[in-house]
Amino acid sequence: MKPAQWLLLVATAASFASSILIGKILIGALPPLTLAAMRVLLAAPLCFALLLAFNRDLPRTRTDRRTAVAASLGVIVIPYSCLAIGQQTIPSGLSGILYSMMPLFTLLVAHFVLHDERLGLRKVTGIVIGIAGVVAVIRPSLLGGLGEHAVAELVTLCGPLAYAFGTVLMRRSRHLDPIGLTTAMFLAATFVLVPVALIIEQPWHVRGGGLLLFELIALAIVGTILPAALNYLLVQQVGATRASVAMFLMPLIAVLFGVLL
């Protein structure tokens, strides 16, 4: 990859890492589905503002709209919900290790869906080394606790698996404008997550002040819109498999953010 593409990859990983850190802070104040719903509810209007500012359009054809809904489920609805649910009971480090499985999932999905990203020994070896590196750098002892919260761990793994499908789907949608697609995805996610959170968790009982609102806005901008846009650009430039390498860097940067902040 070119230097500019490496910078884009690191920026994508850092934006994802910020969502892990801010989400871990907020999960003690908000129920998990409510947290996921608030992320998209605050992000959607900001996406519409960008849509108007750059004079772009939402997907127009029925096929493109179906693509936006499917990508929204894979990249936003399921990962946001699963991450928030998992963070209630398992450490962030273990969440990062589980999310580092995403490149492997992406490689498998891309092999069967994309003709130009076939499975190979070199790719498999590189991804296995990457996962081992994440485990070694974060904390190998975390694997000793693997299985203690089996349900939460399986739920968390559903996030990177869904993200792999969503990433490959976006790779097949190069003709769509990134701002229009991102806006449509957050709009679809809002229509899914907000009613679910209202029905299941009744979030009107939550009490919070200005700090909570500030943290939610930060999560919406830095940890939600930014990674979605950067990931789309990265996928289009380097492919779904190479873009997924950002998930190796994400948990490491999240740990660094945690130490610094």
Side-chain angles (χ1 to χ4, degrees):
M1 294 193 299
K2 300 177 181 178
Q5 293 171 335
W6 277 107
L7 289 175
L8 180 59
L9 187 144
V10 173
T12 303
S15 62
F16 277 117
S18 70
S19 69
I20 297 287
L21 179 63
I22 302 173
K24 187 63 176 177
I25 295 171
L26 285 168
I27 199 62
L30 293 171
L33 295 179
T34 300
L35 176 57
M38 289 301 297
R39 288 181 69 175
V40 299
L41 188 61
L42 290 172
L46 297 173
C47 288
F48 268 107
L50 290 174
L51 191 76
L52 295 175
F54 288 93
N55 195 26
R56 305 296 173 83
D57 295 316
L58 291 170
R60 293 183 176 274
T61 69
R62 182 177 298 179
T63 299
D64 289 345
R65 289 172 180 170
R66 284 200 297 261
T67 297
V69 172
S72 176
L73 292 174
V75 175
I76 299 175
V77 176
I78 297 175
Y80 289 6
S81 302
C82 291
L83 178 62
I85 292 171
Q87 282 189 311
Q88 289 182 300
T89 52
I90 62 178
S92 294
L94 183 54
S95 296
I97 291 175
L98 294 175
Y99 257 78
S100 70
M101 296 295 293
M102 200 272 274
L104 179 59
F105 294 153
T106 303
L107 181 62
L108 294 174
V109 174
H111 173 75
F112 293 103
V113 177
L114 302 175
H115 68 278
D116 57 342
E117 295 196 38
R118 295 300 184 185
L119 192 65
L121 179 61
R122 180 180 177 183
K123 288 183 177 181
V124 173
T125 303
I127 287 176
V128 170
I129 292 173
I131 294 172
V134 171
V135 174
V137 173
I138 290 182
R139 195 167 62 186
S141 61
L142 282 174
L143 292 181
L146 192 64
E148 291 182 1
H149 304 283
V151 174
E153 291 161 10
L154 289 174
V155 169
T156 301
L157 273 175
C158 289
L161 179 59
Y163 210 102
F165 278 98
T167 299
V168 171
L169 182 60
M170 288 193 298
R171 177 75 162 83
R172 298 179 62 183
S173 307
R174 290 181 172 180
H175 64 286
L176 293 177
D177 174 72
I179 297 178
L181 176 61
T182 301
T183 304
M185 288 166 56
F186 278 106
L187 181 62
T190 299
F191 280 111
V192 173
L193 284 172
V194 171
V196 170
L198 289 173
I199 293 171
I200 295 177
E201 295 178 340
Q202 301 177 354
W204 51 84
H205 296 301
V206 174
R207 295 291 182 268
L211 180 59
L212 177 62
L213 179 60
F214 174 78
E215 291 169 343
L216 283 170
I217 293 174
L219 181 61
I221 297 175
V222 180
T224 302
I225 296 177
L226 188 61
L230 291 177
N231 184 65
Y232 179 85
L233 294 174
L234 186 64
V235 168
Q236 301 310 321
Q237 290 192 23
V238 304
T241 301
R242 285 184 175 179
S244 67
V245 173
M247 287 300 166
F248 288 150
L249 299 179
M250 182 269 291
L252 308 181
I253 296 175
V255 171
L256 177 62
F257 282 170
V259 171
L260 294 177
L261 303 176

